[in-house]
Amino acid sequence: MHRKQKWLTAGIAVFALLAAAGILIWQHTHRGAETTGTNKNLVMYVPFGENSHLMVDQDTGSVFCVTMPEDIYDTDGSRITESDLKKGDLLTIYGNGIMLESYPGQYPGVTKIEVTKRGKPSDADQYQNIVDQIYQEPDPSERPYLGIEYRTDTMNVYTYITEGGFQWTYTDENGQTQSVTTDSAFILSWKNIADMTLDPEHGTDLTLCFSAEPESITAERWPSGLMDTYQDGDEVPGSETVTVTKDSEGFVIKDALSGYVYRITGTWENGTVEYGFLTK
């Protein structure tokens, strides 16, 4: 995951409970909101773990993570990358103000970051207790989960995607290799499947946000009407291959259409996991 924030392992259970109630967003209106709708926040950058971070708002004390934009600038105005940010730096972040309702918050709509002042790692030590409350070492037995981010006319939306069958191998705390395999019904017969409402007239770009970056991805789809007629044991209908590209946004399905069932298969060193969602 290049720009995509690596979602925090400790937050999975919280996010799942929130997602069960549907797509949750919070309109976060903050200091520096201009007539253009751009919100501005002064935050301290607190990285931790592997490629994770917190932003701590210096006015309100609120804690959140962001989706890193392409436009990141140093104090002298030169363009830099996420890897150039250091613990304790003070940043001014610009975005649409829409934050996912979770703890810590997730802010996918950041459009620009400016380093306001270079700090020292010790400057961020005051927030170590927050990191300790949030961060846990990843459990090797847990499969990566998948969320999809997309934009409507009025907001950024993040939806958790349903997991199907998987084959997963890991080393347990005793150093023993464990292998778990779970078969799933064919996707057209899934009774519970994540869904999202897309623009019926135009394609929508879907960004695939994995909690751990896969080595490879395949995607395919079927017309959603087949869910009304398909029964377990029927001959599996042919699918349409869907192209997944990788760019500065991460893994993206370009111009996804409503009226389809999509199946995503991710492969990691530890195994393979299947995910599915419905577009309406």
Side-chain angles (χ1 to χ4, degrees), residues 131-149:
V131 173
D132 292 341
Q133 293 172 27
I134 293 171
Y135 181 65
Q136 295 178 357
E137 289 292 336
D139 183 344
S141 68
E142 292 182 347
R143 283 88 54 202
Y145 58 95
L146 171 62
I148 287 183
E149 180 186 338

Side-chain angles (χ1 to χ4, degrees), residues 233-265:
D234 289 351
E235 182 178 353
V236 174
S239 64
E240 177 185 353
T241 299
V242 177
T243 299
V244 179
T245 61
K246 187 177 182 183
D247 56 21
S248 60
E249 294 289 331
F251 294 102
V252 181
I253 296 176
K254 298 284 189 182
D255 298 323
L257 301 174
S258 60
Y260 284 91
V261 178
Y262 284 78
R263 181 168 67 183
I264 310 295
T265 303

Side-chain angles (χ1 to χ4, degrees), residues 163-181:
E163 180 188 277
F166 61 85
Q167 184 280 317
W168 198 251
T169 301
Y170 64 96
T171 302
D172 65 18
E173 58 186 8
N174 298 317
Q176 301 297 313
T177 299
Q178 305 291 338
S179 184
V180 181
T181 299

Side-chain angles (χ1 to χ4, degrees), residues 100-261:
L100 301 180
E101 191 175 76
S102 60
Y103 185 79
Q106 304 286 348
Y107 191 178
V110 172
T111 56
K112 183 174 71 171
I113 292 177
E114 296 174 343
V115 179
T116 302
K117 181 182 178 181
R118 286 294 185 177
K120 303 186 297 293
S122 58
D123 295 338
D125 287 348
Q126 59 186 308
Y127 302 118
Q128 186 59 45
N129 63 323
I130 300 176
V131 173
D132 292 341
Q133 293 172 27
I134 293 171
Y135 181 65
Q136 295 178 357
E137 289 292 336
D139 183 344
S141 68
E142 292 182 347
R143 283 88 54 202
Y145 58 95
L146 171 62
I148 287 183
E149 180 186 338
Y150 62 99
R151 181 165 182 80
T152 69
D153 290 338
T154 59
M155 66 186 71
N156 283 343
V157 181
Y158 186 92
T159 302
Y160 285 89
I161 304 306
T162 307
E163 180 188 277
F166 61 85
Q167 184 280 317
W168 198 251
T169 301
Y170 64 96
T171 302
D172 65 18
E173 58 186 8
N174 298 317
Q176 301 297 313
T177 299
Q178 305 291 338
S179 184
V180 181
T181 299
T182 298
D183 294 325
S184 174
F186 182 59
I187 191 169
L188 292 178
S189 63
W190 289 9
K191 302 303 180 185
N192 297 306
I193 186 170
D195 64 72
M196 58 191 72
T197 301
L198 306 183
D199 187 330
E201 298 181 358
H202 304 92
T204 302
D205 290 350
L206 306 178
T207 300
L208 309 182
C209 305
F210 290 93
S211 60
E213 183 172 323
E215 296 176 351
S216 64
I217 301 172
T218 61
E220 52 193 328
R221 68 185 183 187
W222 294 262
S224 58
L226 292 175
M227 298 187 79
D228 298 328
T229 58
Y230 180 83
Q231 297 183 1
D232 285 333
D234 289 351
E235 182 178 353
V236 174
S239 64
E240 177 185 353
T241 299
V242 177
T243 299
V244 179
T245 61
K246 187 177 182 183
D247 56 21
S248 60
E249 294 289 331
F251 294 102
V252 181
I253 296 176
K254 298 284 189 182
D255 298 323
L257 301 174
S258 60
Y260 284 91
V261 178

